[in-house]
Amino acid sequence: MLDFLKRVYAFPFVAGTWVWLSLSGMFAYPYFYITGFNPKQLRYFLYFQGRVLQTAILFASAFYKKKIKKALPSQPSILIANHPCTYDTFLFFDFGIKDLVCIAKGWPFKIPIYGNFIKKAGYINTDNATSAQIIEQVKERFKEGLHVAIFPEGHRSLTTGRFHLLAFEISIKTESPLVPFVIKGLGQMLAPGEIFARWAKIEYVQLDSVDCKKFKGMPAGNLRMAQYVKNEIIKELEREN
Amino acid sequence: MEKMTRQEIIKTVNDALIKEFELKPEQMKPEANFFSDLGLDSLDAVDMVIVLEQAFKAKLRANYEVGKILTLNDLYDYIEQLMNNA
């Protein structure tokens, strides 16, 4: 019964986010088409979409949404997070990070309208690309002053799964800081494979940035860095809210 | 890149992939496709190159063509060819 009430409460907010994401994209598309899909404008539009979605999550959590924010490094950085929910891609916008692109597998680029937006905004597609090619693209984004976000698990997972090495390889090869974020509660609100959300407490925690120089030159430095960051994320997940 | 026999290459590749991707030894058939048989995706493919570079202590990615290496056998051939050209 309690679970049913939690679902009834959260439903209008979460359903509203899907309507918002679809309709805002459809209405904005002609403008971007006419103006030639300006990457910066697209990134700011995605930021705006994300902020509205985060507001809906705030209501869906009945204002039990907490955020621990720290200063970002002054240079463009790699941002990573655990990945329990489909809304995670909008996490970084809640921290006010506008100048951002994500690295993703091919399928989001195939979503009508949204896929075109992220492609033109400069998001990086890993399909059919080697790490060397991806790192070159990341360097280009860094030159533009953009942060680069990646979910090292690669797919949604309630328990923290195997971390792909790409984020850590990029951090070491480009000598850029890596900033881990921890998402708590979104997996309870909308678990992988579920359609109907439920009320849950949400907490977003920004951890201290990790200096890649500690791992550079070590044998299998990227693996060690991945293990270190994963442990830090797990420790934060296990900490009581 | 240190010269190895084909059997040594197969063992090094298989050991590295079994450990990194938690695969079963019986899955490591030469004709196994990375995506449809071993269940890897594009992020795994990126990891695979990093892990193999560490296993062989050599750069693989300069000439690595993702679209052309689809099976384990393609990978063994590619590494063998690299060693012969080194």
Side-chain angles (χ1 to χ4, degrees):
Chain A
M1 183 62 185
L2 184 63
D3 189 59
F4 175 74
L5 290 174
K6 283 179 180 178
R7 286 176 191 271
V8 168
Y9 173 75
F11 179 78
F13 303 112
V14 175
T17 62
W18 293 119
V19 174
W20 159 248
L21 291 175
S22 306
L23 290 184
S24 60
M26 278 165 59
F27 283 116
Y29 197 88
Y31 169 79
F32 288 116
Y33 183 80
I34 291 163
T35 56
F37 294 101
N38 179 298
K40 189 171 181 177
Q41 284 184 358
L42 277 167
R43 285 193 292 270
Y44 281 27
F45 175 71
L46 292 166
Y47 172 79
F48 175 57
Q49 279 190 316
R51 289 306 294 249
V52 172
L53 181 138
Q54 289 294 346
T55 307
I57 292 173
L58 176 71
F59 279 93
S61 68
F63 294 87
Y64 281 98
K65 183 167 174 258
K66 206 161 87 178
K67 184 168 62 186
I68 297 176
K69 185 179 174 180
K70 296 176 181 181
L72 276 177
S74 53
Q75 69 186 99
S77 310
I78 303 292
L79 314 181
I80 69 149
N82 56 321
H83 195 9
C85 175
T86 192
Y87 290 144
D88 300 342
T89 45
F90 299 97
L91 162 79
F92 305 104
F93 301 136
D94 208 38
F95 285 81
I97 304 167
K98 283 183 194 167
D99 295 315
L100 170 87
V101 293
C102 293
I103 297 178
K105 287 189 269 195
W107 70 265
F109 293 87
K110 293 173 187 157
I111 299 171
I113 299 176
Y114 178 75
N116 206 21
F117 281 178
I118 61 173
K119 189 171 149 192
K120 305 276 189 192
Y123 283 38
I124 298 168
N125 183 347
T126 60
D127 277 5
N128 299 318
T130 63
S131 57
Q133 290 163 340
I134 294 166
I135 288 169
E136 282 311 305
Q137 292 187 64
V138 170
K139 284 179 180 169
E140 291 298 316
R141 304 299 184 277
F142 280 169
K143 277 185 204 160
E144 295 172 52
L146 301 171
H147 296 290
V148 176
I150 183 165
F151 293 91
E153 287 165 277
H155 57 84
R156 286 171 290 157
S157 164
L158 281 181
T159 53
T160 312
R162 189 178 81 82
F163 272 21
H164 291 279
L165 299 178
L166 181 61
F168 311 97
E169 173 84 348
I170 294 171
S171 174
I172 289 172
K173 286 277 157 65
T174 60
E175 298 188 347
S176 52
L178 183 139
V179 188
F181 290 75
V182 183
I183 299 167
K184 298 179 184 181
L186 268 187
Q188 282 70 49
M189 183 173 276
L190 190 62
E194 286 199 348
I195 298 169
F196 296 107
R198 66 169 70 79
W199 173 88
K201 282 184 187 175
I202 306 294
E203 188 177 0
Y204 299 149
V205 183
Q206 181 184 344
L207 302 180
D208 290 329
S209 66
V210 179
D211 185 358
C212 61
K213 287 180 191 127
K214 281 202 288 189
F215 301 93
K216 194 170 184 168
M218 269 188 190
N222 46 31
L223 269 171
R224 287 167 191 253
M225 192 176 181
Q227 283 161 356
Y228 171 79
V229 173
K230 187 177 171 182
N231 285 339
E232 292 299 303
I233 289 177
I234 289 171
K235 264 194 264 175
E236 181 55 44
L237 283 169
E238 287 170 352
R239 201 173 57 79
E240 283 295 311
N241 281 4
Chain B
M1 193 183 239
E2 197 183 314
K3 284 251 176 189
M4 285 178 161
T5 64
R6 186 165 175 94
Q7 278 313 309
E8 286 170 329
I9 292 171
I10 291 172
K11 187 176 181 322
T12 307
V13 168
N14 289 2
D15 287 350
L17 299 188
I18 286 168
K19 187 179 167 207
E20 180 60 26
F21 300 109
E22 294 166 7
L23 298 169
K24 292 176 186 146
E26 55 267 29
Q27 287 179 282
M28 308 305 281
K29 293 173 185 159
E31 66 278 12
N33 183 291
F34 292 117
F35 302 102
S36 56
D37 298 320
L38 302 183
L40 306 188
D41 60 27
S42 59
L43 274 176
D44 290 320
V46 173
D47 280 7
M48 187 167 74
V49 179
I50 298 169
V51 165
L52 290 175
E53 283 187 344
Q54 282 162 357
F56 286 98
K57 297 183 176 59
K59 288 264 169 234
L60 298 180
R61 60 193 96 174
N63 304 307
Y64 188 85
E65 291 176 72
V66 175
K68 290 187 178 170
I69 298 174
L70 298 174
T71 65
L72 279 171
N73 210 33
D74 295 340
L75 182 60
Y76 305 144
D77 289 344
Y78 174 74
I79 293 174
E80 194 173 24
Q81 197 187 339
L82 268 187
M83 285 186 173
N84 290 337
N85 294 340

